[in-house]
Amino acid sequence: MDLQLNDRVAVVTGASAGIGRATALALSAEGAHVVLIARRGDALRNLASEIERRDGRLPLVVDADLVERDSPARIADAVQRAHGRLDIVVNAAGAAEQPGQSLTEEVWQRQFDLNFHAKRRLVEECLPMLAASGRGRVVNFVGLLEPTVVSAAQAAVAACALWSKALSRVAAADGVTMNCIAPGRVDSEQVRRALPDDEAKTEFIRRRIPTGRLGAPQEVADLVAFLASDRAAYVTGQTICIDGGMRWSM
Ligand SMILES: NC(=O)c1ccc[n+]([C@@H]2O[C@H](COP(=O)([O-])OP(=O)(O)OC[C@H]3O[C@@H](n4cnc5c(N)ncnc54)[C@H](OP(=O)(O)O)[C@@H]3O)[C@@H](O)[C@H]2O)c1
């Protein structure tokens, strides 16, 4: 399937690691000009060099802490100056802190700032450019929407999924689609931190994941590339799980 992303401009947050990094590689392989966003500038510049060697296009890099209030405007300005247009925003940056029944106000605030408000603010800032594109695409990463513990990150991504669905109904008039992806357990930095020893990982997979393995970032990136393409023009307002059939209740 030719996804025809040639010359589309795509902002990818969380591009220094895991799913965001794989997404930047996948979109660039399909012909898009990718803009790499995260705090670790060195990792972004290494990825930019890798993409330039492979695809012959040097991605724009913007080091940014997405919870800082001026980051969305700084990113949109950099994209406007470098490319003069924007077609795709992939909000892959995120992190989950430890769950628990008596989380502090600071934890709630941090988790909503990163996993909801940062994504919302970037999309709101970019929406005029996405509307001007006429085929704008937003993909927001969320997560499990079936709580088994009290998690501020889960509450924040649930807010993101609901906000995204609401905005998709308005943005559709300008040809912009807005979807969420909910990964199960994909092999990335945060999952390696959460399942550090092989025995615990094997047991988790045996009990929870019918397909018998963690997902690969590339598999998630392929879904992003489809949602970012014209082929997915009739898919909007959805939250799509990619989880190997993962189950929490036994
Ligand atoms: N992997 C999974 O199984 C899984 C499951 C459910 C949901 N998700 C969601 O899917 C998305 C990708 O997850 P992942 O596992 O690939 O993540 P990851 O490997 O842990 O990487 C997280 C990315 O987010 C960036 N980031 C974190 N805080 C940031 C901040 N304040 N400003 C800018 N960038 C920031 C990190 O970059 P820097 O550190 O360089 O800033 C990094 O690139 C996340 O939103 C995650 O919550 C993943």
Side-chain angles (χ1 to χ4, degrees):
M1 187 183 285
D2 180 1
L3 295 177
Q4 298 173 332
L5 294 179
N6 276 342
D7 297 328
R8 304 284 167 94
V9 177
V11 163
V12 182
T13 75
S16 60
I19 294 168
R21 187 180 194 283
T23 295
L25 283 161
L27 294 179
S28 179
E30 293 293 332
H33 296 278
V34 289
V35 179
L36 311 177
I37 317 288
R39 290 166 301 182
R40 281 171 287 176
D42 287 352
L44 297 181
R45 279 179 278 281
N46 286 341
L47 177 59
S49 303
E50 186 180 330
I51 288 175
E52 185 184 31
R53 279 194 302 276
R54 190 192 66 178
D55 301 334
R57 291 183 298 278
L58 180 64
L60 175 65
V61 166
V62 183
D63 309 23
D65 184 337
L66 288 159
V67 301
E68 286 178 5
R69 290 298 283 270
D70 66 343
S71 290
R74 208 154 59 73
I75 292 164
D77 284 355
V79 171
Q80 182 63 45
R81 271 186 277 110
H83 295 291
R85 59 177 293 128
L86 177 63
D87 307 284
I88 300 161
V89 172
V90 181
N91 263 318
E97 295 186 45
Q98 277 298 320
Q101 274 170 18
S102 43
L103 299 171
T104 63
E105 282 302 317
E106 288 72 23
V107 171
W108 282 103
Q109 194 62 58
R110 268 202 308 271
Q111 289 291 275
F112 269 77
D113 279 348
L114 178 60
N115 295 305
F116 175 47
H117 295 302
K119 292 170 179 166
R120 176 184 59 76
R121 288 187 192 118
L122 182 60
V123 171
E124 287 171 353
E125 185 71 41
C126 293
L127 210 46
M129 280 196 281
L130 294 170
S133 147
R135 50 195 184 190
R137 299 283 181 267
V138 174
V139 179
N140 292 314
F141 273 85
V142 294
L144 184 70
L145 298 176
E146 182 195 338
T148 54
V149 288
V150 177
S151 157
Q154 275 180 15
V157 295
C160 183
L162 208 65
W163 158 79
S164 191
K165 189 167 185 79
L167 190 56
S168 73
R169 291 178 169 152
V170 182
D174 293 314
V176 178
T177 70
M178 205 162 296
N179 292 289
C180 296
I181 294 180
R185 283 295 176 272
V186 174
D187 193 0
S188 71
E189 282 185 353
Q190 59 175 314
V191 166
R192 277 184 227 132
R193 271 196 306 274
L195 294 170
D197 79 272
D198 281 350
E199 210 174 307
K201 189 168 94 179
T202 305
E203 182 56 13
F204 181 92
I205 291 170
R206 190 188 67 72
R207 287 168 58 85
R208 307 278 183 216
I209 309 178
T211 39
R213 62 178 175 84
L214 299 178
Q218 176 63 50
E219 292 174 297
V220 184
D222 289 344
L223 177 56
V224 178
F226 171 68
L227 290 173
S229 75
D230 285 352
R231 300 290 182 123
Y234 204 56
V235 183
T236 195
Q238 302 306 305
T239 295
I240 300 167
C241 294
I242 177 163
D243 62 5
M246 195 165 98
R247 61 182 171 225
W248 286 90
S249 50
M250 303 299 291

